[in-house]
Amino acid sequence: MNPNCARCGKIVYPTEKVNCLDKFWHKSCFHCETCKMTLNMKNYKGYEKKPYCNAHYPKQSFTMVADTPENLRLKQQSELQSQIRYKEEFEKNKGKGFSVVADTPELQRIKKTQDQISNIKYHEEFERSRMGPSPSEGSEPERRNSQESGGYRRAEQQQQQHHGQPGATVYQQQQQPPPSQSYGYKEPAPASSQRNAPAGGGKRFRAVYDYNAADEDEVSFQDGDTIINVQQIDDGWMYGTVERTGDTGMLPANYVEAI
């Protein structure tokens, strides 16, 4: 059903229909309310659902409010409420933040005393650094170095005397402090740290686990390798040659089995 025109009230057919400002218009009826100039969808301006041209578009102005006794009373009441809220916020945050400290004679005396103490400590540190360490202070590093060196030598002797499980040698080496931390340390002779290899022939063994040498006089092998010329040294270690690589040295007894 065809709608009616918002201007003339007659039926608007689709060929002459303009849909704007939530209403339907004839093209000729869609004109400015003031000058009757025909408008289109590009140059119209709507005000209170009526079309206007750019020149006659109503100008909006602010309404002046008279200073009546009622308005003055409301203004004064708003200012009082603002002051009350400000005081409440001030009292709530009174103990927070920074407070201004008065520069009283007592505070000046305390500040002067602190400055004097700081100057005395500075001069003491300066004189101490210029004169060098005292005899008691100088002997402390030497005593600590001698203790570290003695502990290192004891760990080295225990390593030469005992041959435990495969991980024992690596654990002892990790417990030893590095040479850079112990003063007066001397590198032990290679011949004293190596195990003495027995002479003569021996049995054949087969590796049942992989093993990586943890010392210079040990050999590495893989699971399934054949170890020849094996001789028993103690309950935990043997001496033999890996047939696959030709390397000869110490090997853990619990990593191989007899063939």
Side-chain angles (χ1 to χ4, degrees):
M1 184 176 179
N2 296 324
N4 295 329
C5 177
R7 180 79 65 186
C8 64
K10 297 181 180 180
I11 296 175
V12 181
Y13 295 98
T15 56
E16 56 180 358
K17 180 172 62 175
V18 176
N19 184 6
C20 186
L21 299 174
D22 297 333
K23 298 179 181 180
F24 296 97
W25 316 75
H26 290 104
K27 291 182 179 180
S28 59
C29 293
F30 189 67
H31 55 73
C32 177
E33 292 286 332
T34 303
C35 64
K36 309 301 181 183
M37 183 182 70
T38 303
L39 304 172
N40 54 36
M41 299 298 293
K42 295 182 179 180
N43 60 358
Y44 87 96
K45 288 188 175 182
Y47 181 76
E48 295 182 352
K49 295 188 177 182
K50 295 180 180 180
Y52 291 89
C53 64
N54 190 25
H56 297 95
Y57 181 75
K59 305 296 182 182
Q60 298 181 1
S61 60
F62 297 98
T63 304
M64 297 295 295
V65 179
D67 289 336
T68 61
E70 181 67 18
N71 291 334
L72 293 175
R73 185 184 65 81
L74 294 174
K75 181 180 178 181
Q76 186 178 6
Q77 185 176 0
S78 299
E79 292 178 354
L80 290 175
Q81 290 179 353
S82 299
Q83 293 179 1
I84 292 173
R85 290 182 180 178
Y86 172 76
K87 290 181 179 179
E88 288 178 355
E89 294 292 334
F90 176 76
E91 293 295 335
K92 187 184 298 182
N93 300 324
K94 189 174 182 180
K96 301 178 182 179
F98 299 95
S99 58
V100 180
V101 180
D103 195 8
T104 60
E106 181 66 19
L107 293 177
Q108 292 181 357
R109 184 185 63 80
I110 295 174
K111 182 179 179 181
K112 186 176 181 181
T113 304
Q114 292 178 349
D115 293 339
Q116 292 177 355
I117 294 174
S118 299
N119 291 331
I120 293 173
K121 290 183 178 180
Y122 171 77
H123 287 294
E124 288 179 354
E125 294 292 337
F126 176 75
E127 293 295 334
R128 187 181 303 171
S129 62
R130 189 178 66 176
M131 297 301 294
S134 60
S136 60
E137 295 177 352
S139 60
E140 181 64 22
E142 296 179 358
R143 182 167 59 255
R144 188 184 301 112
N145 295 336
S146 61
Q147 292 177 356
E148 293 178 355
S149 178
Y152 181 83
R153 291 193 179 93
R154 286 195 297 271
E156 183 68 20
Q157 293 175 0
Q158 293 176 0
Q159 179 183 358
Q160 296 177 6
Q161 294 175 359
H162 301 283
H163 301 289
Q165 297 299 324
T169 305
V170 180
Y171 177 77
Q172 292 176 358
Q173 292 179 353
Q174 293 176 353
Q175 295 297 325
Q176 298 172 2
S180 59
Q181 297 179 359
S182 59
Y183 300 93
Y185 167 73
K186 295 183 179 180
E187 185 70 24
S192 61
S193 62
Q194 296 182 354
R195 305 179 182 90
N196 296 325
K203 301 179 181 179
R204 295 171 61 88
F205 283 76
R206 181 175 65 250
V208 295
Y209 303 105
D210 295 343
Y211 179 74
N212 293 323
D215 205 346
E216 296 180 356
D217 58 349
E218 297 178 4
V219 292
S220 301
F221 51 82
Q222 299 178 359
D223 183 12
D225 285 350
T226 302
I227 315 298
I228 60 176
N229 298 329
V230 178
Q231 293 191 13
Q232 190 76 27
I233 296 179
D234 54 24
D235 294 339
W237 291 90
M238 296 180 175
Y239 186 87
T241 302
V242 181
E243 189 176 21
R244 178 176 59 84
T245 60
D247 295 337
T248 302
M250 305 293 295
L251 62 142
N254 57 349
Y255 275 62
V256 297
E257 62 180 3
I259 302 177

